[in-house]
Amino acid sequence: MFCRNGCYMTVPNLRFRPIPEMDDYVVFTPDNPNLYSLNQAARLVLAFCDGRTGTALESAYCAALDPLLPRREARAELRKTIEDLERKGILRNTRP
Amino acid sequence: MTQPYFETPPKITVSITATCNLQCKHCYADCTDKPTTSELTTSEWLAFIDYLVENEFIQIYFEGGEPLHRPDFDTILESCGRRMMTLVRTHATLLTSERAKKWKALGVGRLFVDLMGATAKTHDYFTGSDGSFEKSCNGIRHALAAGIPTDAVLILTKRNVGELQAYLELAHELGAQRAGILRLYPLGRAKHHWKEFALSLQEQVEALAALRPPAGLHVMRSWHPNDANCCWQAAAVDPFGNSIGCMYLREYVNYGNIRSVPFLDTWRNDALYKKLRAGKVEKSCTQCDHNEGTRGGCRSTAYAYTGSWNAPDPFCSELNEGVDIRVLPKWLLHDRPKP
């Protein structure tokens, strides 16, 4: 679940494989072995997940999508994406 | 239109050995108990796995032979389980509870276990080993208990078509989430049992259409409208280090040996390899193309029945054009078949 005070980072030891020929980006999660294809929203979220807080992440995400996506929709998309990435073991909140 | 061209393929299949503790009548690899020629050594495989990781491969699929029959297989798994999505196809007769737990710890991501029927009588007939059915079923149980997702796979033949529905129910009872039904390929010992095993395409299609999978069980199958030409992304190496694109092409092609040529040189430079990946075929089934995003169906069976790499795949009912797939071309029974 999204937490404004959380510190978001990718889970250690993931392996990423860009597949530009198919406009795809795949991640391998060794702790719970699986391959996931990352959509554009997930790729953008992960690019910002360097340990910054949920609040900072939200600001960065919304700014990156402005004016393509209204702020309210961008926030909803961010939260949904974070939850999905956490569930798949790709992203973690280091300050739960 | 051609298929996407990968600079480096993301996935690879490795036939880790051509040895096996069983002597299956349908074996595609002509497996023996002991290696007949020089298979890659442990250090050669480990170096190759490092090479794959360095070159951004993200999935490796092991098959054989029987991977568990190779004494160093766990060492090889250990080198890749945490670095690439690692899949293993096995008959699982050698998979104990302890070994399954170890594989889980090593990072094995999914197993595919061969069952050649829903009964011991049918399965053991194919393997030539009494008790092998029970051992394979136990292997599936051990893998699932250890937390490794496990699928059952069956090669469809005249001898097991009557228990196809029971096979799906068995797979479901064992706890598999998916059950694969695979076509029979004219390779290895299977082609020498062709008359005994091969069904007509119509019989295959009717058997598949009659299936009623148990709720929650996903059935994987590759007949029309899902007849894929996978060559565009196919990378495979046999136990001796030969780059062969796909295990179903094992008797027809050799793009170079990784003992003397870097794998990606075979991928990038071999003319036939590039031709097959381009997906230029004489005729395509639009439904299969639409569903699989590929062209012309499987190249292995297209070549086996016509001797042409560009021909339609007769296993697709839309492309069959009157080919009786119960009858093999004679040249196919040569040791290294060439038309």
PDB file of all heavy atoms in Angstrom, chain B residues 257-286:
ATOM      1  N   ASN B 257      29.570 -24.569 -33.178  1.00  0.00           N
ATOM      2  CA  ASN B 257      29.761 -25.151 -31.852  1.00  0.00           C
ATOM      3  C   ASN B 257      30.361 -24.119 -30.905  1.00  0.00           C
ATOM      4  O   ASN B 257      31.358 -23.477 -31.236  1.00  0.00           O
ATOM      5  CB  ASN B 257      30.676 -26.377 -31.941  1.00  0.00           C
ATOM      6  CG  ASN B 257      30.660 -27.164 -30.651  1.00  0.00           C
ATOM      7  OD1 ASN B 257      31.203 -26.727 -29.642  1.00  0.00           O
ATOM      8  ND2 ASN B 257      30.013 -28.318 -30.672  1.00  0.00           N
ATOM      9  N   ILE B 258      29.759 -24.004 -29.735  1.00  0.00           N
ATOM     10  CA  ILE B 258      30.190 -22.954 -28.801  1.00  0.00           C
ATOM     11  C   ILE B 258      31.561 -23.234 -28.192  1.00  0.00           C
ATOM     12  O   ILE B 258      32.120 -22.379 -27.512  1.00  0.00           O
ATOM     13  CB  ILE B 258      29.147 -22.708 -27.684  1.00  0.00           C
ATOM     14  CG1 ILE B 258      28.956 -23.955 -26.818  1.00  0.00           C
ATOM     15  CG2 ILE B 258      27.836 -22.229 -28.274  1.00  0.00           C
ATOM     16  CD1 ILE B 258      28.184 -23.682 -25.526  1.00  0.00           C
ATOM     17  N   ARG B 259      32.113 -24.422 -28.444  1.00  0.00           N
ATOM     18  CA  ARG B 259      33.500 -24.677 -28.022  1.00  0.00           C
ATOM     19  C   ARG B 259      34.474 -23.862 -28.879  1.00  0.00           C
ATOM     20  O   ARG B 259      35.567 -23.542 -28.445  1.00  0.00           O
ATOM     21  CB  ARG B 259      33.834 -26.158 -28.150  1.00  0.00           C
ATOM     22  CG  ARG B 259      33.330 -26.982 -26.976  1.00  0.00           C
ATOM     23  CD  ARG B 259      33.621 -28.462 -27.196  1.00  0.00           C
ATOM     24  NE  ARG B 259      33.478 -29.210 -25.962  1.00  0.00           N
ATOM     25  CZ  ARG B 259      32.943 -30.431 -25.884  1.00  0.00           C
ATOM     26  NH1 ARG B 259      32.492 -31.031 -26.965  1.00  0.00           N
ATOM     27  NH2 ARG B 259      32.862 -31.045 -24.737  1.00  0.00           N
ATOM     28  N   SER B 260      34.061 -23.554 -30.114  1.00  0.00           N
ATOM     29  CA  SER B 260      34.979 -22.846 -31.011  1.00  0.00           C
ATOM     30  C   SER B 260      34.445 -21.499 -31.492  1.00  0.00           C
ATOM     31  O   SER B 260      35.212 -20.673 -31.980  1.00  0.00           O
ATOM     32  CB  SER B 260      35.301 -23.725 -32.230  1.00  0.00           C
ATOM     33  OG  SER B 260      34.111 -24.167 -32.836  1.00  0.00           O
ATOM     34  N   VAL B 261      33.136 -21.276 -31.351  1.00  0.00           N
ATOM     35  CA  VAL B 261      32.539 -20.025 -31.833  1.00  0.00           C
ATOM     36  C   VAL B 261      31.665 -19.455 -30.721  1.00  0.00           C
ATOM     37  O   VAL B 261      30.848 -20.186 -30.159  1.00  0.00           O
ATOM     38  CB  VAL B 261      31.634 -20.295 -33.064  1.00  0.00           C
ATOM     39  CG1 VAL B 261      31.085 -18.993 -33.638  1.00  0.00           C
ATOM     40  CG2 VAL B 261      32.351 -21.095 -34.101  1.00  0.00           C
ATOM     41  N   PRO B 262      31.800 -18.166 -30.385  1.00  0.00           N
ATOM     42  CA  PRO B 262      30.880 -17.605 -29.386  1.00  0.00           C
ATOM     43  C   PRO B 262      29.429 -17.776 -29.839  1.00  0.00           C
ATOM     44  O   PRO B 262      29.133 -17.595 -31.033  1.00  0.00           O
ATOM     45  CB  PRO B 262      31.275 -16.121 -29.339  1.00  0.00           C
ATOM     46  CG  PRO B 262      32.667 -16.075 -29.860  1.00  0.00           C
ATOM     47  CD  PRO B 262      32.768 -17.189 -30.864  1.00  0.00           C
ATOM     48  N   PHE B 263      28.562 -18.111 -28.902  1.00  0.00           N
ATOM     49  CA  PHE B 263      27.176 -18.389 -29.272  1.00  0.00           C
ATOM     50  C   PHE B 263      26.562 -17.269 -30.110  1.00  0.00           C
ATOM     51  O   PHE B 263      25.873 -17.512 -31.112  1.00  0.00           O
ATOM     52  CB  PHE B 263      26.312 -18.628 -28.020  1.00  0.00           C
ATOM     53  CG  PHE B 263      24.862 -18.738 -28.374  1.00  0.00           C
ATOM     54  CD1 PHE B 263      24.356 -19.925 -28.876  1.00  0.00           C
ATOM     55  CD2 PHE B 263      24.009 -17.639 -28.279  1.00  0.00           C
ATOM     56  CE1 PHE B 263      23.032 -20.020 -29.273  1.00  0.00           C
ATOM     57  CE2 PHE B 263      22.687 -17.732 -28.674  1.00  0.00           C
ATOM     58  CZ  PHE B 263      22.195 -18.922 -29.170  1.00  0.00           C
ATOM     59  N   LEU B 264      26.810 -16.029 -29.693  1.00  0.00           N
ATOM     60  CA  LEU B 264      26.161 -14.917 -30.400  1.00  0.00           C
ATOM     61  C   LEU B 264      26.694 -14.746 -31.819  1.00  0.00           C
ATOM     62  O   LEU B 264      26.017 -14.142 -32.662  1.00  0.00           O
ATOM     63  CB  LEU B 264      26.286 -13.620 -29.602  1.00  0.00           C
ATOM     64  CG  LEU B 264      25.369 -13.569 -28.371  1.00  0.00           C
ATOM     65  CD1 LEU B 264      25.652 -12.339 -27.525  1.00  0.00           C
ATOM     66  CD2 LEU B 264      23.892 -13.611 -28.765  1.00  0.00           C
ATOM     67  N   ASP B 265      27.883 -15.263 -32.100  1.00  0.00           N
ATOM     68  CA  ASP B 265      28.347 -15.265 -33.500  1.00  0.00           C
ATOM     69  C   ASP B 265      27.483 -16.192 -34.343  1.00  0.00           C
ATOM     70  O   ASP B 265      27.190 -15.897 -35.507  1.00  0.00           O
ATOM     71  CB  ASP B 265      29.816 -15.703 -33.582  1.00  0.00           C
ATOM     72  CG  ASP B 265      30.764 -14.601 -33.153  1.00  0.00           C
ATOM     73  OD1 ASP B 265      30.277 -13.538 -32.700  1.00  0.00           O
ATOM     74  OD2 ASP B 265      31.988 -14.796 -33.260  1.00  0.00           O
ATOM     75  N   THR B 266      27.072 -17.311 -33.764  1.00  0.00           N
ATOM     76  CA  THR B 266      26.179 -18.201 -34.524  1.00  0.00           C
ATOM     77  C   THR B 266      24.838 -17.514 -34.739  1.00  0.00           C
ATOM     78  O   THR B 266      24.240 -17.624 -35.800  1.00  0.00           O
ATOM     79  CB  THR B 266      25.971 -19.566 -33.822  1.00  0.00           C
ATOM     80  OG1 THR B 266      25.123 -19.420 -32.678  1.00  0.00           O
ATOM     81  CG2 THR B 266      27.288 -20.183 -33.414  1.00  0.00           C
ATOM     82  N   TRP B 267      24.380 -16.826 -33.716  1.00  0.00           N
ATOM     83  CA  TRP B 267      23.095 -16.103 -33.806  1.00  0.00           C
ATOM     84  C   TRP B 267      23.146 -15.024 -34.891  1.00  0.00           C
ATOM     85  O   TRP B 267      22.203 -14.870 -35.665  1.00  0.00           O
ATOM     86  CB  TRP B 267      22.786 -15.496 -32.430  1.00  0.00           C
ATOM     87  CG  TRP B 267      21.610 -14.580 -32.380  1.00  0.00           C
ATOM     88  CD1 TRP B 267      21.599 -13.240 -32.547  1.00  0.00           C
ATOM     89  CD2 TRP B 267      20.238 -14.958 -32.145  1.00  0.00           C
ATOM     90  NE1 TRP B 267      20.329 -12.743 -32.425  1.00  0.00           N
ATOM     91  CE2 TRP B 267      19.473 -13.777 -32.175  1.00  0.00           C
ATOM     92  CE3 TRP B 267      19.594 -16.174 -31.903  1.00  0.00           C
ATOM     93  CZ2 TRP B 267      18.091 -13.773 -31.978  1.00  0.00           C
ATOM     94  CZ3 TRP B 267      18.209 -16.165 -31.703  1.00  0.00           C
ATOM     95  CH2 TRP B 267      17.480 -14.984 -31.745  1.00  0.00           C
ATOM     96  N   ARG B 268      24.248 -14.311 -34.930  1.00  0.00           N
ATOM     97  CA  ARG B 268      24.318 -13.135 -35.818  1.00  0.00           C
ATOM     98  C   ARG B 268      24.811 -13.450 -37.221  1.00  0.00           C
ATOM     99  O   ARG B 268      24.489 -12.727 -38.154  1.00  0.00           O
ATOM    100  CB  ARG B 268      25.236 -12.070 -35.192  1.00  0.00           C
ATOM    101  CG  ARG B 268      24.606 -11.438 -33.958  1.00  0.00           C
ATOM    102  CD  ARG B 268      25.571 -10.553 -33.198  1.00  0.00           C
ATOM    103  NE  ARG B 268      24.928 -10.070 -31.965  1.00  0.00           N
ATOM    104  CZ  ARG B 268      25.580  -9.765 -30.859  1.00  0.00           C
ATOM    105  NH1 ARG B 268      26.885  -9.879 -30.802  1.00  0.00           N
ATOM    106  NH2 ARG B 268      24.923  -9.350 -29.790  1.00  0.00           N
ATOM    107  N   ASN B 269      25.560 -14.532 -37.371  1.00  0.00           N
ATOM    108  CA  ASN B 269      26.243 -14.736 -38.651  1.00  0.00           C
ATOM    109  C   ASN B 269      25.767 -15.922 -39.476  1.00  0.00           C
ATOM    110  O   ASN B 269      26.001 -15.945 -40.683  1.00  0.00           O
ATOM    111  CB  ASN B 269      27.759 -14.887 -38.417  1.00  0.00           C
ATOM    112  CG  ASN B 269      28.335 -13.650 -37.742  1.00  0.00           C
ATOM    113  OD1 ASN B 269      27.815 -12.546 -37.904  1.00  0.00           O
ATOM    114  ND2 ASN B 269      29.383 -13.840 -36.949  1.00  0.00           N
ATOM    115  N   ASP B 270      25.170 -16.929 -38.860  1.00  0.00           N
ATOM    116  CA  ASP B 270      24.812 -18.102 -39.653  1.00  0.00           C
ATOM    117  C   ASP B 270      23.629 -17.776 -40.577  1.00  0.00           C
ATOM    118  O   ASP B 270      22.573 -17.328 -40.125  1.00  0.00           O
ATOM    119  CB  ASP B 270      24.457 -19.276 -38.738  1.00  0.00           C
ATOM    120  CG  ASP B 270      24.240 -20.544 -39.546  1.00  0.00           C
ATOM    121  OD1 ASP B 270      23.101 -20.771 -40.024  1.00  0.00           O
ATOM    122  OD2 ASP B 270      25.218 -21.290 -39.740  1.00  0.00           O
ATOM    123  N   ALA B 271      23.821 -18.048 -41.854  1.00  0.00           N
ATOM    124  CA  ALA B 271      22.828 -17.643 -42.854  1.00  0.00           C
ATOM    125  C   ALA B 271      21.486 -18.360 -42.660  1.00  0.00           C
ATOM    126  O   ALA B 271      20.420 -17.734 -42.748  1.00  0.00           O
ATOM    127  CB  ALA B 271      23.372 -17.912 -44.252  1.00  0.00           C
ATOM    128  N   LEU B 272      21.527 -19.668 -42.390  1.00  0.00           N
ATOM    129  CA  LEU B 272      20.268 -20.400 -42.221  1.00  0.00           C
ATOM    130  C   LEU B 272      19.548 -19.954 -40.948  1.00  0.00           C
ATOM    131  O   LEU B 272      18.323 -19.793 -40.940  1.00  0.00           O
ATOM    132  CB  LEU B 272      20.532 -21.909 -42.180  1.00  0.00           C
ATOM    133  CG  LEU B 272      19.291 -22.780 -41.929  1.00  0.00           C
ATOM    134  CD1 LEU B 272      18.225 -22.549 -42.997  1.00  0.00           C
ATOM    135  CD2 LEU B 272      19.668 -24.261 -41.875  1.00  0.00           C
ATOM    136  N   TYR B 273      20.319 -19.741 -39.895  1.00  0.00           N
ATOM    137  CA  TYR B 273      19.724 -19.286 -38.628  1.00  0.00           C
ATOM    138  C   TYR B 273      18.988 -17.954 -38.847  1.00  0.00           C
ATOM    139  O   TYR B 273      17.840 -17.770 -38.421  1.00  0.00           O
ATOM    140  CB  TYR B 273      20.846 -19.117 -37.597  1.00  0.00           C
ATOM    141  CG  TYR B 273      20.442 -19.201 -36.135  1.00  0.00           C
ATOM    142  CD1 TYR B 273      21.410 -19.164 -35.134  1.00  0.00           C
ATOM    143  CD2 TYR B 273      19.122 -19.332 -35.747  1.00  0.00           C
ATOM    144  CE1 TYR B 273      21.083 -19.250 -33.789  1.00  0.00           C
ATOM    145  CE2 TYR B 273      18.773 -19.413 -34.402  1.00  0.00           C
ATOM    146  CZ  TYR B 273      19.761 -19.365 -33.432  1.00  0.00           C
ATOM    147  OH  TYR B 273      19.426 -19.448 -32.106  1.00  0.00           O
ATOM    148  N   LYS B 274      19.636 -17.065 -39.552  1.00  0.00           N
ATOM    149  CA  LYS B 274      19.008 -15.753 -39.801  1.00  0.00           C
ATOM    150  C   LYS B 274      17.779 -15.897 -40.703  1.00  0.00           C
ATOM    151  O   LYS B 274      16.767 -15.231 -40.492  1.00  0.00           O
ATOM    152  CB  LYS B 274      20.031 -14.801 -40.435  1.00  0.00           C
ATOM    153  CG  LYS B 274      21.117 -14.366 -39.456  1.00  0.00           C
ATOM    154  CD  LYS B 274      21.838 -13.122 -39.888  1.00  0.00           C
ATOM    155  CE  LYS B 274      22.718 -13.357 -41.072  1.00  0.00           C
ATOM    156  NZ  LYS B 274      23.546 -12.197 -41.421  1.00  0.00           N
ATOM    157  N   LYS B 275      17.890 -16.798 -41.661  1.00  0.00           N
ATOM    158  CA  LYS B 275      16.762 -17.010 -42.580  1.00  0.00           C
ATOM    159  C   LYS B 275      15.533 -17.527 -41.822  1.00  0.00           C
ATOM    160  O   LYS B 275      14.412 -17.034 -42.003  1.00  0.00           O
ATOM    161  CB  LYS B 275      17.172 -18.017 -43.657  1.00  0.00           C
ATOM    162  CG  LYS B 275      16.042 -18.452 -44.567  1.00  0.00           C
ATOM    163  CD  LYS B 275      16.508 -19.508 -45.552  1.00  0.00           C
ATOM    164  CE  LYS B 275      15.297 -20.102 -46.261  1.00  0.00           C
ATOM    165  NZ  LYS B 275      15.634 -20.918 -47.398  1.00  0.00           N
ATOM    166  N   LEU B 276      15.751 -18.505 -40.944  1.00  0.00           N
ATOM    167  CA  LEU B 276      14.606 -19.062 -40.214  1.00  0.00           C
ATOM    168  C   LEU B 276      13.987 -18.027 -39.283  1.00  0.00           C
ATOM    169  O   LEU B 276      12.778 -17.996 -39.091  1.00  0.00           O
ATOM    170  CB  LEU B 276      15.022 -20.302 -39.413  1.00  0.00           C
ATOM    171  CG  LEU B 276      15.444 -21.522 -40.232  1.00  0.00           C
ATOM    172  CD1 LEU B 276      15.611 -22.740 -39.344  1.00  0.00           C
ATOM    173  CD2 LEU B 276      14.427 -21.820 -41.319  1.00  0.00           C
ATOM    174  N   ARG B 277      14.802 -17.177 -38.727  1.00  0.00           N
ATOM    175  CA  ARG B 277      14.273 -16.171 -37.794  1.00  0.00           C
ATOM    176  C   ARG B 277      13.502 -15.067 -38.500  1.00  0.00           C
ATOM    177  O   ARG B 277      12.704 -14.374 -37.893  1.00  0.00           O
ATOM    178  CB  ARG B 277      15.405 -15.575 -36.958  1.00  0.00           C
ATOM    179  CG  ARG B 277      16.107 -16.585 -36.057  1.00  0.00           C
ATOM    180  CD  ARG B 277      16.723 -15.927 -34.842  1.00  0.00           C
ATOM    181  NE  ARG B 277      17.549 -14.795 -35.151  1.00  0.00           N
ATOM    182  CZ  ARG B 277      18.853 -14.865 -35.484  1.00  0.00           C
ATOM    183  NH1 ARG B 277      19.455 -16.035 -35.584  1.00  0.00           N
ATOM    184  NH2 ARG B 277      19.536 -13.767 -35.720  1.00  0.00           N
ATOM    185  N   ALA B 278      13.775 -14.901 -39.789  1.00  0.00           N
ATOM    186  CA  ALA B 278      13.113 -13.819 -40.529  1.00  0.00           C
ATOM    187  C   ALA B 278      11.629 -14.106 -40.759  1.00  0.00           C
ATOM    188  O   ALA B 278      10.844 -13.186 -41.005  1.00  0.00           O
ATOM    189  CB  ALA B 278      13.821 -13.593 -41.857  1.00  0.00           C
ATOM    190  N   GLY B 279      11.230 -15.368 -40.701  1.00  0.00           N
ATOM    191  CA  GLY B 279       9.802 -15.691 -40.809  1.00  0.00           C
ATOM    192  C   GLY B 279       9.230 -15.498 -42.202  1.00  0.00           C
ATOM    193  O   GLY B 279       8.028 -15.279 -42.352  1.00  0.00           O
ATOM    194  N   LYS B 280      10.076 -15.596 -43.217  1.00  0.00           N
ATOM    195  CA  LYS B 280       9.557 -15.474 -44.591  1.00  0.00           C
ATOM    196  C   LYS B 280       9.104 -16.852 -45.040  1.00  0.00           C
ATOM    197  O   LYS B 280       9.935 -17.733 -45.271  1.00  0.00           O
ATOM    198  CB  LYS B 280      10.636 -14.923 -45.516  1.00  0.00           C
ATOM    199  CG  LYS B 280      10.927 -13.454 -45.263  1.00  0.00           C
ATOM    200  CD  LYS B 280      12.028 -12.954 -46.170  1.00  0.00           C
ATOM    201  CE  LYS B 280      12.350 -11.501 -45.813  1.00  0.00           C
ATOM    202  NZ  LYS B 280      13.629 -11.063 -46.393  1.00  0.00           N
ATOM    203  N   VAL B 281       7.819 -17.036 -45.164  1.00  0.00           N
ATOM    204  CA  VAL B 281       7.265 -18.348 -45.491  1.00  0.00           C
ATOM    205  C   VAL B 281       6.328 -18.227 -46.697  1.00  0.00           C
ATOM    206  O   VAL B 281       5.846 -17.143 -47.012  1.00  0.00           O
ATOM    207  CB  VAL B 281       6.493 -18.934 -44.284  1.00  0.00           C
ATOM    208  CG1 VAL B 281       7.449 -19.298 -43.175  1.00  0.00           C
ATOM    209  CG2 VAL B 281       5.438 -17.964 -43.777  1.00  0.00           C
ATOM    210  N   GLU B 282       6.103 -19.384 -47.330  1.00  0.00           N
ATOM    211  CA  GLU B 282       5.260 -19.377 -48.535  1.00  0.00           C
ATOM    212  C   GLU B 282       3.814 -19.038 -48.205  1.00  0.00           C
ATOM    213  O   GLU B 282       3.121 -18.391 -48.975  1.00  0.00           O
ATOM    214  CB  GLU B 282       5.279 -20.769 -49.182  1.00  0.00           C
ATOM    215  CG  GLU B 282       6.605 -21.135 -49.811  1.00  0.00           C
ATOM    216  CD  GLU B 282       6.700 -22.621 -50.092  1.00  0.00           C
ATOM    217  OE1 GLU B 282       5.688 -23.354 -49.953  1.00  0.00           O
ATOM    218  OE2 GLU B 282       7.815 -23.074 -50.433  1.00  0.00           O
ATOM    219  N   LYS B 283       3.379 -19.519 -47.068  1.00  0.00           N
ATOM    220  CA  LYS B 283       1.960 -19.404 -46.759  1.00  0.00           C
ATOM    221  C   LYS B 283       1.783 -19.370 -45.238  1.00  0.00           C
ATOM    222  O   LYS B 283       2.465 -20.095 -44.526  1.00  0.00           O
ATOM    223  CB  LYS B 283       1.243 -20.632 -47.328  1.00  0.00           C
ATOM    224  CG  LYS B 283      -0.215 -20.451 -47.568  1.00  0.00           C
ATOM    225  CD  LYS B 283      -0.720 -21.662 -48.351  1.00  0.00           C
ATOM    226  CE  LYS B 283      -2.201 -21.576 -48.577  1.00  0.00           C
ATOM    227  NZ  LYS B 283      -2.711 -22.765 -49.268  1.00  0.00           N
ATOM    228  N   SER B 284       0.849 -18.567 -44.805  1.00  0.00           N
ATOM    229  CA  SER B 284       0.606 -18.447 -43.373  1.00  0.00           C
ATOM    230  C   SER B 284      -0.871 -18.608 -43.068  1.00  0.00           C
ATOM    231  O   SER B 284      -1.714 -18.292 -43.910  1.00  0.00           O
ATOM    232  CB  SER B 284       1.040 -17.053 -42.904  1.00  0.00           C
ATOM    233  OG  SER B 284       2.221 -17.107 -42.180  1.00  0.00           O
ATOM    234  N   CYS B 285      -1.169 -19.072 -41.876  1.00  0.00           N
ATOM    235  CA  CYS B 285      -2.561 -19.120 -41.411  1.00  0.00           C
ATOM    236  C   CYS B 285      -2.828 -17.829 -40.650  1.00  0.00           C
ATOM    237  O   CYS B 285      -2.156 -17.547 -39.662  1.00  0.00           O
ATOM    238  CB  CYS B 285      -2.755 -20.340 -40.512  1.00  0.00           C
ATOM    239  SG  CYS B 285      -4.253 -20.260 -39.523  1.00  0.00           S
ATOM    240  N   THR B 286      -3.794 -17.076 -41.093  1.00  0.00           N
ATOM    241  CA  THR B 286      -4.006 -15.750 -40.492  1.00  0.00           C
ATOM    242  C   THR B 286      -4.413 -15.856 -39.023  1.00  0.00           C
ATOM    243  O   THR B 286      -4.030 -15.016 -38.212  1.00  0.00           O
ATOM    244  CB  THR B 286      -5.076 -14.965 -41.264  1.00  0.00           C
ATOM    245  OG1 THR B 286      -6.237 -15.787 -41.396  1.00  0.00           O
ATOM    246  CG2 THR B 286      -4.563 -14.561 -42.631  1.00  0.00           C
TER     247      THR B 286
END
